[in-house]
Amino acid sequence: MKILAFESSCDETAAAVVEDGRRILSDVVLSQIDIHHRYGGVVPEIASRAHTEAICTVCERALREADLKPEEVDAVGVTNRPGLIGALLVGVNFAKSLAFTLQKPLIPVNHIEGHIAALYLAHPELEPPFLALVMSGGHSSLVEVRGYTAFLLIGSTRDDAAGEAFDKAGRVLGIGYPGGKEMDRLASLGNPDAIAFPPCAIRDHAFDFTFSGLKTAVINHTHNKKQCGEAIVPEDLAASFTKAVCAGIQSRLENAFAAFPHRKLVLAGGVAANSHIRKAAAETCRKCGATIFLPPPSLCGDNGAMIAAQAYYNFRAGITADESLNAYATSPFSFHP
Ligand code: KG4
Ligand code: ZN
């Protein structure tokens, strides 16, 4: 079954064709980073407009690269939650019109579930159940994936998302938006023990995260340094910040392995590209006797292939929609137990 799917929840306009949820026939991503860079973050109205301008192009390219005519696709998938509402609506309305015109099934997909499904594309042997840690610019969720369409959210952030924290720390250091990738590079060059930052774990909850204290600690550290006339060492700050993030992640994962029988961990979302987090999570998995499944860099950030992959499993579970399909900005996670 060949599914053409669209992703427009934030600042990437993407379309892809995936066969049977596992084989990528095409995967086209148009990033808006260059547009939002100058504002230091995503401007929702500008994002919606840019999606409108790009969506036909990504659709045509995804079909061409898959060597398919529109009528040869079997279904149309689309991210309809959560995300920027105006941005989501562009993809949802485009997908609705296309599905209606082609008289093909329309399949709604939760963006976070899509991030998890990205791993099916990279690891043919991966099947639920497993634990998944999804960390992106908008979410930090620890999930028990009971089946392809059965998810139990066991932990999440109480405040900022992991990617947001990397981007904010990056902004304090004056590196451009989004700062995650550059923070990763700087951290490799610095001393992780230079500054004692608080770990990103909630003390009285086994699986939840908090990133706001860490963000404040970064801001306080830079203010103090400036007031004392001392230089900030970006490499040391990035390394110490990353160490605190990794420590929090490791404690959440250890608790999850102690509480759940699964011995498979999936890392997903834009922040899963972070080399230090990948190493830290792998180390915890080794300690807990679990196998880790990592996404290739091309499937960490937002893309259409991950949405097409999850759309396949949603379709098999009977999750389809009609022309009344809507977009939802805040729907945190969907459960189909
Ligand atoms: O999943 P994604 O592409 O979009 C959302 O759904 O939000 O994630 C984007 C986030 C950004 O905050 C970006 O800074 C972060 O992922 N990111 C990283 C790295 N690469 C991207 N964060 C830490 N280390 C990285 N190497
Ligand atoms: Zn995402």
Side-chain angles (χ1 to χ4, degrees):
M1 179 180 194
K2 297 184 184 83
I3 298 181
L4 168 63
F6 299 92
E7 156 60 39
S8 70
S9 67
C10 191
D11 59 351
E12 263 96 24
T13 320
V17 181
V18 170
E19 189 168 19
D20 297 337
R22 296 277 178 167
R23 202 162 77 85
I24 300 175
L25 302 185
S26 65
D27 190 16
V28 180
V29 181
L30 285 190
S31 172
Q32 301 178 5
I33 283 179
D34 289 346
I35 304 173
H36 299 291
H37 190 263
R38 76 190 78 146
Y39 305 103
V42 179
V43 184
E45 271 312 309
I46 295 176
S48 310
R49 198 174 290 246
H51 284 308
T52 309
E53 285 166 5
I55 194 112
C56 283
T57 308
V58 294
C59 177
E60 280 165 10
R61 276 184 51 193
L63 286 168
R64 200 178 329 123
E65 287 175 23
D67 199 18
L68 290 174
K69 296 191 189 75
E71 56 275 18
E72 287 173 326
V73 305
D74 299 301
V76 179
V78 65
T79 308
N80 79 318
R81 67 198 188 282
L84 300 171
I85 190 70
L88 284 166
L89 281 169
V90 176
V92 166
N93 285 317
F94 191 87
K96 271 202 262 193
S97 317
L98 192 64
F100 179 75
T101 310
L102 299 172
Q103 286 296 294
K104 305 283 179 182
L106 174 67
I107 310 164
V109 176
N110 176 302
H111 183 78
I112 307 173
E113 294 175 14
H115 271 301
I116 295 170
L119 275 292
Y120 300 136
L121 299 164
H123 301 278
E125 73 282 20
L126 177 65
E127 284 178 17
F130 53 79
L131 294 172
L133 176 60
V134 190
M135 291 176 300
S136 68
H139 312 278
S140 303
S141 311
L142 195 51
V143 184
E144 185 193 20
V145 182
R146 295 179 170 181
Y148 286 107
T149 59
F151 304 88
L152 179 70
L153 180 68
I154 60 172
S156 54
T157 179
R158 301 271 180 99
D159 35 63
D160 295 345
E164 210 178 338
F166 272 98
D167 295 341
K168 282 177 181 167
R171 191 185 300 172
V172 169
L173 288 178
I175 55 186
Y177 169 85
K181 204 172 167 188
E182 179 62 5
M183 287 284 288
D184 192 350
R185 194 188 67 80
L186 288 172
S188 306
L189 306 172
N191 173 10
D193 299 317
I195 311 154
F197 286 135
C200 63
I202 291 272
R203 241 181 255 147
D204 59 359
H205 190 283
F207 311 123
D208 278 356
F209 295 93
T210 170
F211 290 95
S212 69
L214 188 50
K215 179 185 68 186
T216 308
V218 168
I219 293 169
N220 287 346
H221 171 81
T222 51
H223 281 173
N224 290 343
K225 283 283 179 193
K226 273 184 196 155
Q227 272 168 0
C228 300
E230 293 172 18
I232 296 157
V233 184
E235 292 83 357
D236 285 352
L237 192 148
S240 303
F241 173 90
T242 304
K243 184 187 172 188
V245 172
C246 290
I249 288 173
Q250 288 187 312
S251 98
R252 307 298 83 177
L253 292 179
E254 278 174 24
N255 291 344
F257 283 129
F260 292 85
H262 315 299
R263 283 298 168 269
K264 286 188 268 184
L265 175 77
V266 152
L267 223 55
V271 182
N274 187 282
S275 58
H276 310 277
I277 293 176
R278 290 165 86 100
K279 264 187 230 139
E283 191 184 298
T284 304
C285 283
R286 248 192 320 274
K287 201 169 134 190
C288 300
T291 306
I292 191 162
F293 294 86
L294 296 166
S298 60
L299 291 172
C300 289
D302 294 346
N303 62 82
M306 69 186 202
I307 303 304
Q310 184 58 33
Y312 172 73
Y313 292 105
N314 283 0
F315 182 78
R316 282 198 357 183
I319 301 162
T320 56
D322 61 18
E323 293 85 60
S324 65
L325 180 69
N326 209 346
Y328 301 94
T330 53
S331 166
F333 211 83
S334 71
F335 304 96
H336 318 290

